[in-house]
Amino acid sequence: MAREKKIYPLADGLSTQDTFAVLGDIEKFKKHKHAWKVWQALKEFRCTAYPVAEGLGRLDGSKVYSTLTELTDKVTVIVPCLLPEKLTSIVPNAVAAGCSKIWFQEQTWSKELQEECDKAGVEVIRGCVLRHRIYPSKISLRYLSPCYWHGLSDAKVPLKRYGR
C-alpha cells in the first residue's frame, strides 16, 4: 500500500506539490552556494526539483538541464538564483517552458523583471526558499542563519524522514 504524499504550504500559494526548476550557474551549484542549497532544500521538502545550469551535465547524481525550455511542461515554478543582470531572458523562457510562476530569491528580483512578468502574465513570488526549512535545534547554526531569523513566522516543512 503506497503512502499518500503530504503536501505542505510554502510562500504565497506555493506548496510542496509544485514542481520546481532551480536556475543557477556552475559556480552556484558546484561550490554549494545558494542554488545548490535551494535545490537541496526543495528535495528535502519532498518536491520535484530540477537543477538548471548551462555547461553542467550532472550534479550529485542528478541530470542538470542546460535551459529552462528542456523542462517544458515539467515545472510549475522557476526559482532563479542569479543576479537580475543574468536573468534577461527568464520571463520569455518561463513562458516557453509553460511555467506560470517565478519565485525570486533575495537579491534576484528587480522592478524591470516585475514589469516583464506582469506583462507576460507570470506570477511573481518573492522570498527565500530556505526560510521554510526547519533547522535542527541541536545545531546552533540556525541561530546564525539569516533565513532562519527572517522566516520565523513562515510556514515550515518538516525534515525528510524515511518511513514517514
Side-chain angles (χ1 to χ4, degrees):
M1 185 170 155
R3 289 182 180 246
E4 192 173 313
K5 180 180 175 182
K6 288 188 179 182
I7 299 169
Y8 297 96
L10 295 170
D12 298 331
L14 297 179
S15 74
T16 56
Q17 186 175 21
D18 285 299
T19 54
F20 299 86
V22 180
L23 181 62
D25 59 19
I26 292 174
E27 180 181 324
K28 296 211 184 273
F29 279 111
K30 283 286 213 177
K31 293 187 177 180
H32 293 192
K33 291 190 176 183
H34 196 73
W36 183 85
K37 289 177 185 177
V38 166
W39 177 59
Q40 288 297 314
L42 289 169
K43 288 180 11 178
E44 285 176 13
F45 297 166
R46 297 176 251 353
C47 298
T48 302
Y50 303 97
V52 179
E54 198 172 321
L56 187 62
R58 297 197 73 74
L59 180 66
D60 297 344
S62 296
K63 178 181 178 177
V64 179
Y65 294 84
S66 59
T67 65
L68 291 170
T69 53
E70 289 181 53
L71 293 167
T72 299
D73 298 328
K74 290 186 181 181
V75 295
T76 57
V77 182
I78 295 170
V79 184
C81 297
L82 296 168
L83 294 175
E85 54 268 13
K86 293 188 176 186
L87 297 174
T88 55
S89 61
I90 190 170
V91 177
N93 288 344
V95 171
C99 184
S100 60
K101 299 174 186 173
I102 299 176
W103 189 356
F104 287 99
Q105 301 301 285
E106 305 294 335
Q107 301 177 0
T108 64
W109 177 88
S110 71
K111 288 180 185 178
E112 294 78 17
L113 287 170
Q114 179 72 48
E115 291 169 2
E116 201 174 336
C117 287
D118 292 344
K119 287 179 188 172
V122 174
E123 185 180 344
V124 170
I125 296 95
R126 292 176 59 191
C128 184
V129 170
L130 302 177
R131 292 169 68 154
H132 301 280
R133 188 171 173 222
I134 293 177
Y135 293 87
S137 60
K138 294 178 185 177
I139 299 173
S140 62
L141 177 65
R142 77 178 187 176
Y143 298 110
L144 303 174
S145 172
C147 293
Y148 175 79
W149 287 109
H150 293 285
L152 278 175
S153 62
D154 289 340
K156 302 292 183 195
V157 178
L159 294 173
K160 182 177 182 178
R161 294 207 167 89
Y162 297 103
R164 284 194 170 175

